[in-house]
Amino acid sequence: MPALAALERFLERLFERPPARLFGAHLEPVTLVRRLERAMDEERRVEAGGVLAPTRFAVRVSGSDAALARLPNLEDDLARAALDHARRRGYRIPERPIVAVLVAPELALGEVRVAAGFGDGRNAPSATDRGPEMTLVHPLSPAVGPRTVLRVLAPEGPAREVALDGRPLTIGRATDVEVVLLDPLASRRHARLSSRAGRLVISDLGSTNGTRLNGDAVREAVVGPGDRIEIGATRLEIVVAPASEPA
């Protein structure tokens, strides 16, 4: 059985390599599932309480495969597949996975890249939590809600909040960006928050000191309420503002 599994893995890698894409084959959803599962296996963490699985995934496909990225419910289906894989492997998974499928023009036809990271674990069923009903994976809510704001906590001075209404926000020291940071460790154009397919995405813009999400360095990642973005000595939090009191 181990030899058969090794052979299957070899054939899977073989047909995902660039030579196999010379025939002009487009990606299929099953390929994204396999790559997502592999990213979870490779990025898992061994901790005292067991093996912890990543829950945030950015799946990049080529511009030629953009039609696949636009398939309805694709991100939810991939999130469900990630949760099922964690259960089969016996991984701890402290929150429902979030998957964003992004189009990367620099990728070749049939090429796919998956980045995996960890969230803060606030909103999730455990991989071993098998209640009487099996509908443990619920549809993911859009990350940009009507009262979602970016709270900016600088080393000095009061906190301020910036409404997240779906428009991209560039963050940095430059005076012409949407979120200006008075932080010498931040680059002039350090990072950008943008909305893609109903998900909020943080992208590092090639900054000098990098961008961290919940303590981990990231180039691009899906974020949502409860996440903490660190740029230099400044902390930015995605929060849902309380509803205003009725007059």
Side-chain angles (χ1 to χ4, degrees):
M1 184 63 70
L4 179 59
L7 176 60
E8 291 176 346
R9 190 66 178 270
F10 169 76
L11 292 174
E12 178 183 299
R13 290 196 301 267
L14 177 65
F15 286 102
E16 288 178 356
R17 288 176 181 171
R21 295 193 288 269
L22 295 177
F23 299 99
H26 285 268
L27 284 172
E28 297 291 338
V30 66
T31 302
L32 301 187
V33 172
R34 297 292 176 262
R35 297 299 292 272
L36 195 69
E37 292 173 346
R38 184 185 304 172
M40 178 177 285
D41 292 340
E42 291 175 348
E43 298 300 325
R44 68 190 188 278
R45 293 176 178 173
V46 179
E47 299 185 345
V51 179
L52 182 66
T55 56
R56 306 293 176 92
F57 300 90
V59 179
R60 297 179 180 84
V61 301
S62 72
S64 300
D65 292 300
L68 173 64
R70 292 193 292 268
L71 285 178
N73 302 319
L74 176 63
E75 292 175 332
D76 289 349
D77 290 342
L78 292 175
R80 183 178 296 107
L83 183 58
D84 289 344
H85 183 70
R87 288 174 174 161
R88 290 194 301 270
R89 296 285 192 182
Y91 298 155
R92 285 197 306 112
I93 186 162
E95 63 180 354
R96 292 189 300 275
I98 296 177
V99 179
V101 180
L102 312 171
V103 175
E106 71 275 11
L107 299 185
L109 172 66
E111 189 174 1
V112 56
R113 296 179 185 173
V114 179
F118 294 81
D120 64 0
R122 293 185 182 182
N123 58 348
S126 163
T128 58
D129 181 8
R130 300 179 183 272
E133 60 183 45
M134 297 305 293
T135 56
L136 293 179
V137 183
H138 306 285
L140 294 171
S141 300
V144 184
R147 300 192 309 275
T148 305
V149 299
L150 178 69
R151 180 174 296 160
V152 183
L153 302 169
E156 299 180 0
R160 68 184 194 274
E161 294 183 348
V162 180
L164 298 176
D165 55 8
R167 291 178 294 181
L169 298 177
T170 302
I171 306 166
R173 287 190 297 107
T175 57
D176 59 346
V177 301
E178 288 75 21
V179 183
V180 179
L181 302 183
L182 302 178
D183 188 332
L185 297 177
S187 296
R188 288 178 52 78
R189 286 175 172 76
H190 195 109
R192 180 177 292 117
L193 272 172
S194 57
S195 178
R196 304 184 194 176
R199 304 283 183 264
L200 193 63
V201 178
I202 181 70
S203 304
D204 186 87
L205 301 179
S207 66
T208 301
N209 294 315
T211 301
R212 302 182 72 83
L213 174 64
N214 300 322
D216 295 323
V218 295
R219 292 185 178 178
E220 190 168 73
V222 179
V223 296
D227 282 327
R228 302 178 308 279
I229 302 166
E230 297 172 19
I231 293 178
T234 303
R235 189 169 81 249
L236 304 100
E237 299 177 347
I238 311 296
V239 300
V240 176
S244 58
E245 294 293 335

